[in-house]
Amino acid sequence: MTGIEYLLEFDSDARSITVYAENPTNRSQQAGIVISTDNRTMHSSDFRLSGGEVWNKTLQIEASLDALRDSHVVRVSTYGATRAFEFDYEIDPESSTTVPTPYIADTTVTRGTIDGEPSTVVNITVVNPSVQQYPTKLMVHTQGTDGSFYAAIVPTGESETVTVELLDDPETVVVGEARLYAGRLNRSSGGIDQVGFRGEVNGSTSTWNESYRAVEGPWSENPYRYDNASVGSDSVLPEQVESGPTVRGIPVVLLLAIAASVAGLLLVRRR
């Protein structure tokens, strides 16, 4: 629209894009570009070019890609024009060293309050170093909790601590695992991070990295149950054993029909 001429060069193997801008007129003109990768803005520039001036910039785009996608789009927009480049590039969101993805940074077993009631909880801090915002979720299993589910969508470049309710007796050692994933829990393609942890309410918590393993959710016919041979199986509070499977007081049978739309806390008590 302003008379600036642009040339774009995209290298899918190197995951880089070079933008050239030239002002062929004899007067100063406003120029600008916006570059987005997988629908997220990664770069924006506004500048003026004098008559006959040439400007160029090369950017690496790999770090800004969406790690959950195999097909990617790089889009360059200027005043009045847009061009897009599509390419295939498979990324392992759990172990990529070049594409940053959310991860579990800290895990602490403690005593907390859920809906006004005291409860054993685990505070899990999730960090998102990416320019992408991922629809991440947390699922926590322990010896005494057969699945505690929370949404954990962290804004780009930020961190968030999620307090996860557990059914474990506060007087016992709490051992379990936390899964950070997107999509479906029983599909490994959505796995992003997994850690194991062992802690006490009034003590310290130790953690270790684990390879992500897809499991069946507590709403399924054959739900996954965590077990650790080094810890006894009496970590559930006695009054919770006879109450049966519930999700915040709602029978699991009812929730099976709406499991796909669950957006809040999901806590399944072990039988």
Side-chain angles (χ1 to χ4, degrees):
M1 292 174 62
T2 61
I4 302 297
E5 297 179 352
Y6 295 88
L7 173 66
L8 310 177
E9 293 180 351
F10 177 65
D11 187 333
S12 60
D13 293 329
R15 266 81 66 185
S16 68
I17 187 164
T18 300
V19 180
Y20 298 89
E22 180 180 3
N23 180 5
T25 72
N26 57 8
R27 62 187 182 279
S28 177
Q29 296 279 21
Q30 186 68 29
I33 60 166
V34 175
I35 301 177
S36 65
T37 52
D38 295 336
N39 298 319
R40 300 290 295 190
T41 298
M42 65 159 292
H43 178 82
S44 178
S45 293
D46 282 296
F47 49 93
R48 293 192 69 85
L49 294 178
S50 58
E53 184 179 0
V54 177
W55 176 95
N56 70 84
K57 190 174 189 65
T58 299
L59 294 169
Q60 297 293 324
I61 55 92
E62 185 168 17
S64 63
L65 296 176
D66 185 339
L68 298 179
R69 299 176 57 167
D70 293 336
S71 296
H72 306 275
V73 178
V74 179
R75 191 178 307 277
V76 181
S77 301
T78 67
Y79 298 117
T82 298
R83 294 291 182 270
F85 301 90
E86 299 181 13
F87 68 106
D88 293 332
Y89 179 47
E90 187 173 346
I91 302 165
D92 183 351
E94 187 181 3
S95 60
S96 175
T97 59
T98 56
V99 181
T101 55
Y103 63 92
I104 298 173
D106 186 65
T107 305
T108 305
V109 174
T110 186
R111 193 70 169 160
T113 302
I114 302 295
D115 294 335
E117 298 294 330
S119 175
T120 303
V121 301
V122 56
N123 289 326
I124 299 177
T125 300
V126 178
V127 177
N128 181 13
S130 173
V131 300
Q132 298 288 336
Q133 183 164 304
Y134 292 90
T136 43
K137 314 163 192 176
L138 273 174
M139 178 65 76
V140 178
H141 291 85
T142 66
Q143 287 283 105
T145 306
D146 282 340
S148 196
F149 169 85
Y150 287 75
I153 301 175
V154 182
T156 62
E158 297 186 19
S159 64
E160 183 175 307
T161 298
V162 181
T163 298
V164 177
E165 182 180 9
L166 302 176
L167 298 179
D168 300 71
D169 189 322
E171 302 301 320
T172 65
V173 175
V174 179
V175 181
E177 55 196 13
R179 288 174 170 80
L180 183 68
Y181 66 101
R184 297 177 62 175
L185 181 65
N186 63 354
R187 292 186 178 178
S188 58
S189 58
I192 296 178
D193 195 16
Q194 180 173 322
V195 300
F197 62 90
R198 177 188 180 99
E200 298 179 71
V201 168
N202 295 316
S204 60
T205 303
S206 59
T207 61
W208 56 90
N209 289 326
E210 296 181 347
S211 296
Y212 186 89
R213 181 164 66 96
V215 297
E216 293 297 328
W219 47 78
S220 68
E221 294 182 358
N222 186 28
Y224 168 74
R225 288 190 169 90
Y226 177 80
D227 187 38
N228 191 306
S230 67
V231 180
S233 59
D234 57 350
S235 59
V236 183
L237 295 176
E239 65 269 21
Q240 295 170 328
V241 175
E242 299 179 0
S243 63
T246 64
V247 176
R248 304 194 75 164
I250 304 174
V252 168
V253 173
L254 177 60
L255 286 177
L256 287 173
I258 60 173
S261 62
V262 171
L265 166 67
L266 177 56
L267 180 62
V268 175
R269 305 187 179 207
R270 76 184 300 143
R271 297 178 185 273

